[in-house]
Amino acid sequence: MPAWLSRSELLVGKEGIDQLQNAHVLVVGLGGVGSFAAEYICRSGVGEMTIVDGDVVDPTNRNRQLPALATNHGVSKADIMAERLMAINPELKLHVVKEFLTPDKCKEILETKFDYVMDCIDSVTPKLTLLSTAYEKGQRIVSSMGAGGKIDPTKLRITDLFDTYECLFAHYIRKRGKKLGIAKGIKAVFSIEPVMKESLILTDGTNFKRSAYGTISYLPAAFGGVCASVVIRDLLGYPIEITKRPANIRRKTALKSKSKDKE
């Protein structure tokens, strides 16, 4: 066992380290959530990773994204993260895809049977492409919901995608995902904190986004940490506490969603 994993071995044992070193994890999206999630997966000792992102660093990324610095604007996020991951673990078997996720590319990537798929995409259309394709192929998935417009990391929860609540982004994914054949079985990381609606801005529509909420440095990283913990604990067979959607929230959320759709 590599010496750099000795502290992890104290926690999960040699058998646990061996399990992680034999695992192959896919991380799609290397922004505020995915960049930290990818690093946590790498530092856990997972032996093989595939990372996917077609974007480059923008000045607005620097408040929350691991690859973003004042010195690398315009540089591929995938390239920056690849260099960083290999510096952490030079023995990592790393596959890098520097492309945005089209349906064809998604099908090509998911021809591989991964031990876990991490969805860290923050745009609805490519996120649904990944989730529906991975779900159809029977891949094990954890998906990050909306981290924007929120500031309290203690409000993060884990549940099935269709039991999420207090997250408009998750509502859109559930609604459209159901039409694409997605049903129960995808673990979702979400926040029960009400969104700060006043932080919403409209965008130019690039990268499949027509609007965005304000973000704070640590919140997307917290989402990434919880997503990584789901993957690692599932791979090791450790229990994961699943949040139940309150019965009174179900009707209230449905009514809110209906009125929102009419607007």
Side-chain angles (χ1 to χ4, degrees):
M1 184 204 70
W4 68 275
L5 288 171
S6 59
R7 294 295 181 93
S8 298
E9 185 187 13
L10 292 173
L11 191 64
V12 304
K14 184 180 184 303
E15 182 179 342
I17 296 297
D18 289 343
Q19 284 179 287
L20 294 174
Q21 290 196 301
N22 289 322
H24 186 182
V25 175
L26 170 67
V27 183
V28 186
L30 298 172
V33 175
S35 58
F36 285 94
E39 176 148 332
Y40 297 145
I41 290 297
C42 179
R43 289 187 186 276
S44 76
V46 166
E48 186 172 3
M49 295 176 65
T50 296
I51 58 174
V52 182
D53 198 304
D55 204 2
V56 298
V57 173
D58 181 87
T60 62
N61 300 154
R62 277 164 49 199
N63 78 319
R64 69 197 182 283
Q65 297 189 15
L66 191 58
L69 303 171
T71 54
N72 61 13
H73 296 166
V75 179
S76 162
K77 293 178 186 178
D79 280 343
I80 296 167
M81 286 304 301
E83 182 179 358
R84 186 176 177 93
L85 298 179
M86 292 305 298
I88 293 167
N89 179 13
E91 297 181 356
L92 176 67
K93 187 175 181 181
L94 182 63
H95 313 274
V96 183
V97 181
K98 296 189 292 183
E99 298 181 39
F100 287 110
L101 204 67
T102 64
D104 287 342
K105 193 63 184 179
C106 187
K107 289 178 183 177
E108 178 187 328
I109 292 169
L110 289 170
E111 285 302 315
T112 298
K113 179 64 177 178
F114 296 96
D115 293 289
Y116 231 107
V117 172
M118 299 187 73
D119 160 39
C120 303
I121 303 172
D122 60 0
S123 303
V124 173
T125 299
K127 192 177 194 75
L128 286 165
T129 296
L130 174 62
L131 292 178
S132 60
T133 307
Y135 186 84
E136 182 183 359
K137 291 183 175 291
Q139 302 264 19
R140 192 155 45 162
I141 312 161
V142 61
S143 180
S144 174
M145 295 296 111
K150 304 192 178 193
I151 60 172
D152 187 351
T154 69
K155 301 297 185 182
L156 270 63
R157 302 290 186 269
I158 303 163
T159 193
D160 187 274
L161 172 62
F162 285 90
D163 285 330
T164 53
Y165 58 97
E166 202 61 73
C167 177
L168 187 59
F169 185 64
H171 164 69
Y172 291 144
I173 300 303
R174 292 195 310 269
K175 185 176 180 181
R176 291 177 55 181
K178 188 174 182 180
K179 294 177 181 178
L180 293 172
I182 300 173
K184 292 274 187 177
I186 295 175
K187 286 189 176 71
V189 175
F190 73 110
S191 170
I192 62 173
E193 178 185 5
V195 70
M196 294 181 175
K197 296 178 181 178
E198 64 275 14
S199 71
L200 179 68
I201 61 166
L202 298 179
T203 69
D204 59 8
T206 56
N207 294 350
F208 306 98
K209 289 187 246 183
R210 291 178 293 179
S211 63
Y213 282 100
T215 53
I216 195 71
S217 60
Y218 53 83
L219 215 288
F223 268 80
V226 177
C227 286
S229 83
V230 169
V231 172
I232 293 162
R233 285 185 286 166
D234 260 351
L235 290 175
L236 296 177
Y238 290 174
I240 296 174
E241 183 178 350
I242 300 297
T243 296
K244 299 296 183 183
R245 183 173 182 172
N248 65 315
I249 293 289
R250 186 180 301 275
R251 177 168 175 78
K252 183 178 179 183
T253 303
L255 289 173
K256 280 186 176 179
S257 301
K258 189 173 180 180
S259 62
K260 189 79 176 178
D261 292 340
K262 285 181 178 178
E263 293 173 3

